[in-house]
Amino acid sequence: MQARSNAIAGSRSLSSGSPHPNPANPTPRVLDLNQVAELLDAHPKTVRLMAQAGKIPGFRVGRLWRFSAARIYEWIEQTTYSAAA
């Protein structure tokens, strides 16, 4: 029961909008649509449309979009470097 309550508490910190719920691990492994929008300084609808079009790496869990933090950071670096070239 203790492990489950810790897991629930951890998921609450992600849904609170904090991009860094665990100080020991500053990057969560999975981001939601609003977290990616905040990271990119974009509107959530823009991020959703980009994900639907395959322009940004993401996946759906039911009706919700989720994003691998590692893949998003890789995408940012690739996009930044390809735009600079």
mmCIF file with all atom_site columns, all heavy atoms in Angstrom, residues 47-69:
data_model
loop_
_atom_site.group_PDB
_atom_site.id
_atom_site.type_symbol
_atom_site.label_atom_id
_atom_site.label_alt_id
_atom_site.label_comp_id
_atom_site.label_asym_id
_atom_site.label_entity_id
_atom_site.label_seq_id
_atom_site.pdbx_PDB_ins_code
_atom_site.Cartn_x
_atom_site.Cartn_y
_atom_site.Cartn_z
_atom_site.occupancy
_atom_site.B_iso_or_equiv
_atom_site.pdbx_formal_charge
_atom_site.auth_seq_id
_atom_site.auth_comp_id
_atom_site.auth_asym_id
_atom_site.auth_atom_id
_atom_site.pdbx_PDB_model_num
ATOM 1   N N   . VAL A 1 47 ? 0.756   22.263 -30.047 1.00 0.00 ? 47 VAL A N   1
ATOM 2   C CA  . VAL A 1 47 ? 1.515   21.034 -29.779 1.00 0.00 ? 47 VAL A CA  1
ATOM 3   C C   . VAL A 1 47 ? 0.683   19.817 -30.172 1.00 0.00 ? 47 VAL A C   1
ATOM 4   O O   . VAL A 1 47 ? 1.197   18.875 -30.790 1.00 0.00 ? 47 VAL A O   1
ATOM 5   C CB  . VAL A 1 47 ? 1.956   20.964 -28.304 1.00 0.00 ? 47 VAL A CB  1
ATOM 6   C CG1 . VAL A 1 47 ? 2.625   19.640 -27.993 1.00 0.00 ? 47 VAL A CG1 1
ATOM 7   C CG2 . VAL A 1 47 ? 2.884   22.126 -27.973 1.00 0.00 ? 47 VAL A CG2 1
ATOM 8   N N   . ARG A 1 48 ? -0.597  19.820 -29.837 1.00 0.00 ? 48 ARG A N   1
ATOM 9   C CA  . ARG A 1 48 ? -1.475  18.694 -30.195 1.00 0.00 ? 48 ARG A CA  1
ATOM 10  C C   . ARG A 1 48 ? -1.548  18.528 -31.702 1.00 0.00 ? 48 ARG A C   1
ATOM 11  O O   . ARG A 1 48 ? -1.433  17.412 -32.229 1.00 0.00 ? 48 ARG A O   1
ATOM 12  C CB  . ARG A 1 48 ? -2.877  18.893 -29.621 1.00 0.00 ? 48 ARG A CB  1
ATOM 13  C CG  . ARG A 1 48 ? -3.811  17.734 -29.956 1.00 0.00 ? 48 ARG A CG  1
ATOM 14  C CD  . ARG A 1 48 ? -5.198  17.905 -29.376 1.00 0.00 ? 48 ARG A CD  1
ATOM 15  N NE  . ARG A 1 48 ? -5.820  19.195 -29.641 1.00 0.00 ? 48 ARG A NE  1
ATOM 16  C CZ  . ARG A 1 48 ? -6.429  19.522 -30.786 1.00 0.00 ? 48 ARG A CZ  1
ATOM 17  N NH1 . ARG A 1 48 ? -6.491  18.657 -31.772 1.00 0.00 ? 48 ARG A NH1 1
ATOM 18  N NH2 . ARG A 1 48 ? -6.974  20.707 -30.920 1.00 0.00 ? 48 ARG A NH2 1
ATOM 19  N N   . LEU A 1 49 ? -1.715  19.617 -32.438 1.00 0.00 ? 49 LEU A N   1
ATOM 20  C CA  . LEU A 1 49 ? -1.783  19.539 -33.896 1.00 0.00 ? 49 LEU A CA  1
ATOM 21  C C   . LEU A 1 49 ? -0.470  19.038 -34.491 1.00 0.00 ? 49 LEU A C   1
ATOM 22  O O   . LEU A 1 49 ? -0.469  18.251 -35.443 1.00 0.00 ? 49 LEU A O   1
ATOM 23  C CB  . LEU A 1 49 ? -2.158  20.902 -34.481 1.00 0.00 ? 49 LEU A CB  1
ATOM 24  C CG  . LEU A 1 49 ? -3.585  21.371 -34.194 1.00 0.00 ? 49 LEU A CG  1
ATOM 25  C CD1 . LEU A 1 49 ? -3.773  22.814 -34.638 1.00 0.00 ? 49 LEU A CD1 1
ATOM 26  C CD2 . LEU A 1 49 ? -4.596  20.446 -34.852 1.00 0.00 ? 49 LEU A CD2 1
ATOM 27  N N   . MET A 1 50 ? 0.658   19.472 -33.921 1.00 0.00 ? 50 MET A N   1
ATOM 28  C CA  . MET A 1 50 ? 1.964   18.998 -34.387 1.00 0.00 ? 50 MET A CA  1
ATOM 29  C C   . MET A 1 50 ? 2.116   17.501 -34.135 1.00 0.00 ? 50 MET A C   1
ATOM 30  O O   . MET A 1 50 ? 2.632   16.770 -34.989 1.00 0.00 ? 50 MET A O   1
ATOM 31  C CB  . MET A 1 50 ? 3.092   19.774 -33.706 1.00 0.00 ? 50 MET A CB  1
ATOM 32  C CG  . MET A 1 50 ? 3.199   21.219 -34.136 1.00 0.00 ? 50 MET A CG  1
ATOM 33  S SD  . MET A 1 50 ? 4.447   22.127 -33.199 1.00 0.00 ? 50 MET A SD  1
ATOM 34  C CE  . MET A 1 50 ? 5.952   21.363 -33.811 1.00 0.00 ? 50 MET A CE  1
ATOM 35  N N   . ALA A 1 51 ? 1.672   17.038 -32.971 1.00 0.00 ? 51 ALA A N   1
ATOM 36  C CA  . ALA A 1 51 ? 1.758   15.616 -32.644 1.00 0.00 ? 51 ALA A CA  1
ATOM 37  C C   . ALA A 1 51 ? 0.859   14.805 -33.574 1.00 0.00 ? 51 ALA A C   1
ATOM 38  O O   . ALA A 1 51 ? 1.276   13.752 -34.083 1.00 0.00 ? 51 ALA A O   1
ATOM 39  C CB  . ALA A 1 51 ? 1.385   15.388 -31.182 1.00 0.00 ? 51 ALA A CB  1
ATOM 40  N N   . GLN A 1 52 ? -0.343  15.277 -33.833 1.00 0.00 ? 52 GLN A N   1
ATOM 41  C CA  . GLN A 1 52 ? -1.260  14.571 -34.729 1.00 0.00 ? 52 GLN A CA  1
ATOM 42  C C   . GLN A 1 52 ? -0.683  14.472 -36.138 1.00 0.00 ? 52 GLN A C   1
ATOM 43  O O   . GLN A 1 52 ? -0.873  13.475 -36.824 1.00 0.00 ? 52 GLN A O   1
ATOM 44  C CB  . GLN A 1 52 ? -2.611  15.278 -34.782 1.00 0.00 ? 52 GLN A CB  1
ATOM 45  C CG  . GLN A 1 52 ? -3.430  15.112 -33.531 1.00 0.00 ? 52 GLN A CG  1
ATOM 46  C CD  . GLN A 1 52 ? -4.704  15.939 -33.543 1.00 0.00 ? 52 GLN A CD  1
ATOM 47  O OE1 . GLN A 1 52 ? -4.797  16.967 -34.209 1.00 0.00 ? 52 GLN A OE1 1
ATOM 48  N NE2 . GLN A 1 52 ? -5.692  15.478 -32.784 1.00 0.00 ? 52 GLN A NE2 1
ATOM 49  N N   . ALA A 1 53 ? 0.043   15.498 -36.563 1.00 0.00 ? 53 ALA A N   1
ATOM 50  C CA  . ALA A 1 53 ? 0.632   15.517 -37.898 1.00 0.00 ? 53 ALA A CA  1
ATOM 51  C C   . ALA A 1 53 ? 1.963   14.772 -37.958 1.00 0.00 ? 53 ALA A C   1
ATOM 52  O O   . ALA A 1 53 ? 2.549   14.647 -39.034 1.00 0.00 ? 53 ALA A O   1
ATOM 53  C CB  . ALA A 1 53 ? 0.829   16.965 -38.348 1.00 0.00 ? 53 ALA A CB  1
ATOM 54  N N   . GLY A 1 54 ? 2.459   14.305 -36.824 1.00 0.00 ? 54 GLY A N   1
ATOM 55  C CA  . GLY A 1 54 ? 3.733   13.588 -36.792 1.00 0.00 ? 54 GLY A CA  1
ATOM 56  C C   . GLY A 1 54 ? 4.946   14.497 -36.846 1.00 0.00 ? 54 GLY A C   1
ATOM 57  O O   . GLY A 1 54 ? 6.057   14.047 -37.109 1.00 0.00 ? 54 GLY A O   1
ATOM 58  N N   . LYS A 1 55 ? 4.758   15.786 -36.573 1.00 0.00 ? 55 LYS A N   1
ATOM 59  C CA  . LYS A 1 55 ? 5.867   16.739 -36.616 1.00 0.00 ? 55 LYS A CA  1
ATOM 60  C C   . LYS A 1 55 ? 6.651   16.780 -35.314 1.00 0.00 ? 55 LYS A C   1
ATOM 61  O O   . LYS A 1 55 ? 7.744   17.327 -35.271 1.00 0.00 ? 55 LYS A O   1
ATOM 62  C CB  . LYS A 1 55 ? 5.346   18.145 -36.937 1.00 0.00 ? 55 LYS A CB  1
ATOM 63  C CG  . LYS A 1 55 ? 4.754   18.243 -38.323 1.00 0.00 ? 55 LYS A CG  1
ATOM 64  C CD  . LYS A 1 55 ? 4.260   19.643 -38.603 1.00 0.00 ? 55 LYS A CD  1
ATOM 65  C CE  . LYS A 1 55 ? 3.670   19.724 -39.996 1.00 0.00 ? 55 LYS A CE  1
ATOM 66  N NZ  . LYS A 1 55 ? 3.209   21.078 -40.305 1.00 0.00 ? 55 LYS A NZ  1
ATOM 67  N N   . ILE A 1 56 ? 6.078   16.239 -34.253 1.00 0.00 ? 56 ILE A N   1
ATOM 68  C CA  . ILE A 1 56 ? 6.733   16.195 -32.952 1.00 0.00 ? 56 ILE A CA  1
ATOM 69  C C   . ILE A 1 56 ? 6.477   14.789 -32.388 1.00 0.00 ? 56 ILE A C   1
ATOM 70  O O   . ILE A 1 56 ? 5.378   14.251 -32.558 1.00 0.00 ? 56 ILE A O   1
ATOM 71  C CB  . ILE A 1 56 ? 6.198   17.306 -32.015 1.00 0.00 ? 56 ILE A CB  1
ATOM 72  C CG1 . ILE A 1 56 ? 7.021   17.406 -30.751 1.00 0.00 ? 56 ILE A CG1 1
ATOM 73  C CG2 . ILE A 1 56 ? 4.742   17.134 -31.713 1.00 0.00 ? 56 ILE A CG2 1
ATOM 74  C CD1 . ILE A 1 56 ? 6.689   18.643 -29.918 1.00 0.00 ? 56 ILE A CD1 1
ATOM 75  N N   . PRO A 1 57 ? 7.481   14.158 -31.764 1.00 0.00 ? 57 PRO A N   1
ATOM 76  C CA  . PRO A 1 57 ? 7.284   12.785 -31.285 1.00 0.00 ? 57 PRO A CA  1
ATOM 77  C C   . PRO A 1 57 ? 6.366   12.722 -30.076 1.00 0.00 ? 57 PRO A C   1
ATOM 78  O O   . PRO A 1 57 ? 6.588   13.391 -29.077 1.00 0.00 ? 57 PRO A O   1
ATOM 79  C CB  . PRO A 1 57 ? 8.702   12.327 -30.924 1.00 0.00 ? 57 PRO A CB  1
ATOM 80  C CG  . PRO A 1 57 ? 9.465   13.580 -30.656 1.00 0.00 ? 57 PRO A CG  1
ATOM 81  C CD  . PRO A 1 57 ? 8.845   14.639 -31.529 1.00 0.00 ? 57 PRO A CD  1
ATOM 82  N N   . GLY A 1 58 ? 5.309   11.956 -30.198 1.00 0.00 ? 58 GLY A N   1
ATOM 83  C CA  . GLY A 1 58 ? 4.361   11.800 -29.105 1.00 0.00 ? 58 GLY A CA  1
ATOM 84  C C   . GLY A 1 58 ? 3.543   10.543 -29.308 1.00 0.00 ? 58 GLY A C   1
ATOM 85  O O   . GLY A 1 58 ? 3.614   9.896  -30.354 1.00 0.00 ? 58 GLY A O   1
ATOM 86  N N   . PHE A 1 59 ? 2.765   10.191 -28.310 1.00 0.00 ? 59 PHE A N   1
ATOM 87  C CA  . PHE A 1 59 ? 1.907   9.024  -28.402 1.00 0.00 ? 59 PHE A CA  1
ATOM 88  C C   . PHE A 1 59 ? 0.648   9.287  -27.594 1.00 0.00 ? 59 PHE A C   1
ATOM 89  O O   . PHE A 1 59 ? 0.609   10.169 -26.742 1.00 0.00 ? 59 PHE A O   1
ATOM 90  C CB  . PHE A 1 59 ? 2.623   7.753  -27.909 1.00 0.00 ? 59 PHE A CB  1
ATOM 91  C CG  . PHE A 1 59 ? 3.117   7.833  -26.488 1.00 0.00 ? 59 PHE A CG  1
ATOM 92  C CD1 . PHE A 1 59 ? 2.358   7.332  -25.437 1.00 0.00 ? 59 PHE A CD1 1
ATOM 93  C CD2 . PHE A 1 59 ? 4.349   8.412  -26.195 1.00 0.00 ? 59 PHE A CD2 1
ATOM 94  C CE1 . PHE A 1 59 ? 2.819   7.401  -24.133 1.00 0.00 ? 59 PHE A CE1 1
ATOM 95  C CE2 . PHE A 1 59 ? 4.819   8.480  -24.897 1.00 0.00 ? 59 PHE A CE2 1
ATOM 96  C CZ  . PHE A 1 59 ? 4.050   7.976  -23.855 1.00 0.00 ? 59 PHE A CZ  1
ATOM 97  N N   . ARG A 1 60 ? -0.383  8.523  -27.904 1.00 0.00 ? 60 ARG A N   1
ATOM 98  C CA  . ARG A 1 60 ? -1.654  8.702  -27.217 1.00 0.00 ? 60 ARG A CA  1
ATOM 99  C C   . ARG A 1 60 ? -1.885  7.590  -26.213 1.00 0.00 ? 60 ARG A C   1
ATOM 100 O O   . ARG A 1 60 ? -1.571  6.435  -26.467 1.00 0.00 ? 60 ARG A O   1
ATOM 101 C CB  . ARG A 1 60 ? -2.791  8.741  -28.215 1.00 0.00 ? 60 ARG A CB  1
ATOM 102 C CG  . ARG A 1 60 ? -2.729  10.033 -29.031 1.00 0.00 ? 60 ARG A CG  1
ATOM 103 C CD  . ARG A 1 60 ? -3.889  10.195 -29.915 1.00 0.00 ? 60 ARG A CD  1
ATOM 104 N NE  . ARG A 1 60 ? -5.101  10.279 -29.097 1.00 0.00 ? 60 ARG A NE  1
ATOM 105 C CZ  . ARG A 1 60 ? -6.265  10.639 -29.558 1.00 0.00 ? 60 ARG A CZ  1
ATOM 106 N NH1 . ARG A 1 60 ? -6.401  10.947 -30.820 1.00 0.00 ? 60 ARG A NH1 1
ATOM 107 N NH2 . ARG A 1 60 ? -7.317  10.686 -28.778 1.00 0.00 ? 60 ARG A NH2 1
ATOM 108 N N   . VAL A 1 61 ? -2.431  7.970  -25.088 1.00 0.00 ? 61 VAL A N   1
ATOM 109 C CA  . VAL A 1 61 ? -2.913  7.039  -24.080 1.00 0.00 ? 61 VAL A CA  1
ATOM 110 C C   . VAL A 1 61 ? -4.402  7.349  -23.965 1.00 0.00 ? 61 VAL A C   1
ATOM 111 O O   . VAL A 1 61 ? -4.779  8.357  -23.360 1.00 0.00 ? 61 VAL A O   1
ATOM 112 C CB  . VAL A 1 61 ? -2.194  7.222  -22.728 1.00 0.00 ? 61 VAL A CB  1
ATOM 113 C CG1 . VAL A 1 61 ? -2.765  6.277  -21.693 1.00 0.00 ? 61 VAL A CG1 1
ATOM 114 C CG2 . VAL A 1 61 ? -0.691  7.044  -22.881 1.00 0.00 ? 61 VAL A CG2 1
ATOM 115 N N   . GLY A 1 62 ? -5.199  6.542  -24.617 1.00 0.00 ? 62 GLY A N   1
ATOM 116 C CA  . GLY A 1 62 ? -6.621  6.868  -24.714 1.00 0.00 ? 62 GLY A CA  1
ATOM 117 C C   . GLY A 1 62 ? -6.784  8.125  -25.549 1.00 0.00 ? 62 GLY A C   1
ATOM 118 O O   . GLY A 1 62 ? -6.314  8.204  -26.668 1.00 0.00 ? 62 GLY A O   1
ATOM 119 N N   . ARG A 1 63 ? -7.390  9.127  -24.955 1.00 0.00 ? 63 ARG A N   1
ATOM 120 C CA  . ARG A 1 63 ? -7.588  10.401 -25.651 1.00 0.00 ? 63 ARG A CA  1
ATOM 121 C C   . ARG A 1 63 ? -6.488  11.412 -25.341 1.00 0.00 ? 63 ARG A C   1
ATOM 122 O O   . ARG A 1 63 ? -6.471  12.505 -25.904 1.00 0.00 ? 63 ARG A O   1
ATOM 123 C CB  . ARG A 1 63 ? -8.934  10.993 -25.250 1.00 0.00 ? 63 ARG A CB  1
ATOM 124 C CG  . ARG A 1 63 ? -10.114 10.149 -25.704 1.00 0.00 ? 63 ARG A CG  1
ATOM 125 C CD  . ARG A 1 63 ? -11.427 10.686 -25.209 1.00 0.00 ? 63 ARG A CD  1
ATOM 126 N NE  . ARG A 1 63 ? -11.636 12.043 -25.683 1.00 0.00 ? 63 ARG A NE  1
ATOM 127 C CZ  . ARG A 1 63 ? -12.556 12.866 -25.219 1.00 0.00 ? 63 ARG A CZ  1
ATOM 128 N NH1 . ARG A 1 63 ? -13.367 12.463 -24.271 1.00 0.00 ? 63 ARG A NH1 1
ATOM 129 N NH2 . ARG A 1 63 ? -12.681 14.078 -25.685 1.00 0.00 ? 63 ARG A NH2 1
ATOM 130 N N   . LEU A 1 64 ? -5.576  11.082 -24.443 1.00 0.00 ? 64 LEU A N   1
ATOM 131 C CA  . LEU A 1 64 ? -4.570  12.029 -23.971 1.00 0.00 ? 64 LEU A CA  1
ATOM 132 C C   . LEU A 1 64 ? -3.242  11.848 -24.703 1.00 0.00 ? 64 LEU A C   1
ATOM 133 O O   . LEU A 1 64 ? -2.794  10.726 -24.927 1.00 0.00 ? 64 LEU A O   1
ATOM 134 C CB  . LEU A 1 64 ? -4.354  11.846 -22.469 1.00 0.00 ? 64 LEU A CB  1
ATOM 135 C CG  . LEU A 1 64 ? -5.600  11.965 -21.597 1.00 0.00 ? 64 LEU A CG  1
ATOM 136 C CD1 . LEU A 1 64 ? -5.260  11.621 -20.160 1.00 0.00 ? 64 LEU A CD1 1
ATOM 137 C CD2 . LEU A 1 64 ? -6.181  13.362 -21.699 1.00 0.00 ? 64 LEU A CD2 1
ATOM 138 N N   . TRP A 1 65 ? -2.602  12.950 -25.019 1.00 0.00 ? 65 TRP A N   1
ATOM 139 C CA  . TRP A 1 65 ? -1.281  12.904 -25.629 1.00 0.00 ? 65 TRP A CA  1
ATOM 140 C C   . TRP A 1 65 ? -0.222  12.867 -24.536 1.00 0.00 ? 65 TRP A C   1
ATOM 141 O O   . TRP A 1 65 ? -0.319  13.595 -23.546 1.00 0.00 ? 65 TRP A O   1
ATOM 142 C CB  . TRP A 1 65 ? -1.046  14.133 -26.517 1.00 0.00 ? 65 TRP A CB  1
ATOM 143 C CG  . TRP A 1 65 ? -1.671  13.965 -27.861 1.00 0.00 ? 65 TRP A CG  1
ATOM 144 C CD1 . TRP A 1 65 ? -2.894  14.423 -28.257 1.00 0.00 ? 65 TRP A CD1 1
ATOM 145 C CD2 . TRP A 1 65 ? -1.126  13.270 -28.966 1.00 0.00 ? 65 TRP A CD2 1
ATOM 146 N NE1 . TRP A 1 65 ? -3.138  14.054 -29.550 1.00 0.00 ? 65 TRP A NE1 1
ATOM 147 C CE2 . TRP A 1 65 ? -2.057  13.352 -30.014 1.00 0.00 ? 65 TRP A CE2 1
ATOM 148 C CE3 . TRP A 1 65 ? 0.071   12.595 -29.189 1.00 0.00 ? 65 TRP A CE3 1
ATOM 149 C CZ2 . TRP A 1 65 ? -1.833  12.772 -31.264 1.00 0.00 ? 65 TRP A CZ2 1
ATOM 150 C CZ3 . TRP A 1 65 ? 0.296   12.022 -30.424 1.00 0.00 ? 65 TRP A CZ3 1
ATOM 151 C CH2 . TRP A 1 65 ? -0.655  12.112 -31.450 1.00 0.00 ? 65 TRP A CH2 1
ATOM 152 N N   . ARG A 1 66 ? 0.786   12.039 -24.745 1.00 0.00 ? 66 ARG A N   1
ATOM 153 C CA  . ARG A 1 66 ? 1.932   11.933 -23.848 1.00 0.00 ? 66 ARG A CA  1
ATOM 154 C C   . ARG A 1 66 ? 3.195   11.988 -24.698 1.00 0.00 ? 66 ARG A C   1
ATOM 155 O O   . ARG A 1 66 ? 3.198   11.612 -25.873 1.00 0.00 ? 66 ARG A O   1
ATOM 156 C CB  . ARG A 1 66 ? 1.900   10.626 -23.046 1.00 0.00 ? 66 ARG A CB  1
ATOM 157 C CG  . ARG A 1 66 ? 0.727   10.550 -22.088 1.00 0.00 ? 66 ARG A CG  1
ATOM 158 C CD  . ARG A 1 66 ? 0.883   11.587 -20.974 1.00 0.00 ? 66 ARG A CD  1
ATOM 159 N NE  . ARG A 1 66 ? -0.191  11.508 -20.011 1.00 0.00 ? 66 ARG A NE  1
ATOM 160 C CZ  . ARG A 1 66 ? -1.140  12.418 -19.866 1.00 0.00 ? 66 ARG A CZ  1
ATOM 161 N NH1 . ARG A 1 66 ? -1.168  13.476 -20.640 1.00 0.00 ? 66 ARG A NH1 1
ATOM 162 N NH2 . ARG A 1 66 ? -2.060  12.285 -18.949 1.00 0.00 ? 66 ARG A NH2 1
ATOM 163 N N   . PHE A 1 67 ? 4.272   12.438 -24.072 1.00 0.00 ? 67 PHE A N   1
ATOM 164 C CA  . PHE A 1 67 ? 5.521   12.646 -24.788 1.00 0.00 ? 67 PHE A CA  1
ATOM 165 C C   . PHE A 1 67 ? 6.683   12.146 -23.943 1.00 0.00 ? 67 PHE A C   1
ATOM 166 O O   . PHE A 1 67 ? 6.758   12.456 -22.752 1.00 0.00 ? 67 PHE A O   1
ATOM 167 C CB  . PHE A 1 67 ? 5.712   14.140 -25.084 1.00 0.00 ? 67 PHE A CB  1
ATOM 168 C CG  . PHE A 1 67 ? 4.562   14.737 -25.849 1.00 0.00 ? 67 PHE A CG  1
ATOM 169 C CD1 . PHE A 1 67 ? 3.435   15.210 -25.193 1.00 0.00 ? 67 PHE A CD1 1
ATOM 170 C CD2 . PHE A 1 67 ? 4.601   14.822 -27.227 1.00 0.00 ? 67 PHE A CD2 1
ATOM 171 C CE1 . PHE A 1 67 ? 2.362   15.754 -25.891 1.00 0.00 ? 67 PHE A CE1 1
ATOM 172 C CE2 . PHE A 1 67 ? 3.540   15.360 -27.933 1.00 0.00 ? 67 PHE A CE2 1
ATOM 173 C CZ  . PHE A 1 67 ? 2.422   15.834 -27.264 1.00 0.00 ? 67 PHE A CZ  1
ATOM 174 N N   . SER A 1 68 ? 7.585   11.407 -24.564 1.00 0.00 ? 68 SER A N   1
ATOM 175 C CA  . SER A 1 68 ? 8.800   10.985 -23.879 1.00 0.00 ? 68 SER A CA  1
ATOM 176 C C   . SER A 1 68 ? 9.692   12.212 -23.727 1.00 0.00 ? 68 SER A C   1
ATOM 177 O O   . SER A 1 68 ? 10.014  12.885 -24.718 1.00 0.00 ? 68 SER A O   1
ATOM 178 C CB  . SER A 1 68 ? 9.521   9.918  -24.710 1.00 0.00 ? 68 SER A CB  1
ATOM 179 O OG  . SER A 1 68 ? 10.859  9.793  -24.305 1.00 0.00 ? 68 SER A OG  1
ATOM 180 N N   . ALA A 1 69 ? 10.096  12.510 -22.514 1.00 0.00 ? 69 ALA A N   1
ATOM 181 C CA  . ALA A 1 69 ? 10.941  13.688 -22.274 1.00 0.00 ? 69 ALA A CA  1
ATOM 182 C C   . ALA A 1 69 ? 12.237  13.586 -23.069 1.00 0.00 ? 69 ALA A C   1
ATOM 183 O O   . ALA A 1 69 ? 12.674  14.564 -23.692 1.00 0.00 ? 69 ALA A O   1
ATOM 184 C CB  . ALA A 1 69 ? 11.229  13.833 -20.782 1.00 0.00 ? 69 ALA A CB  1
#
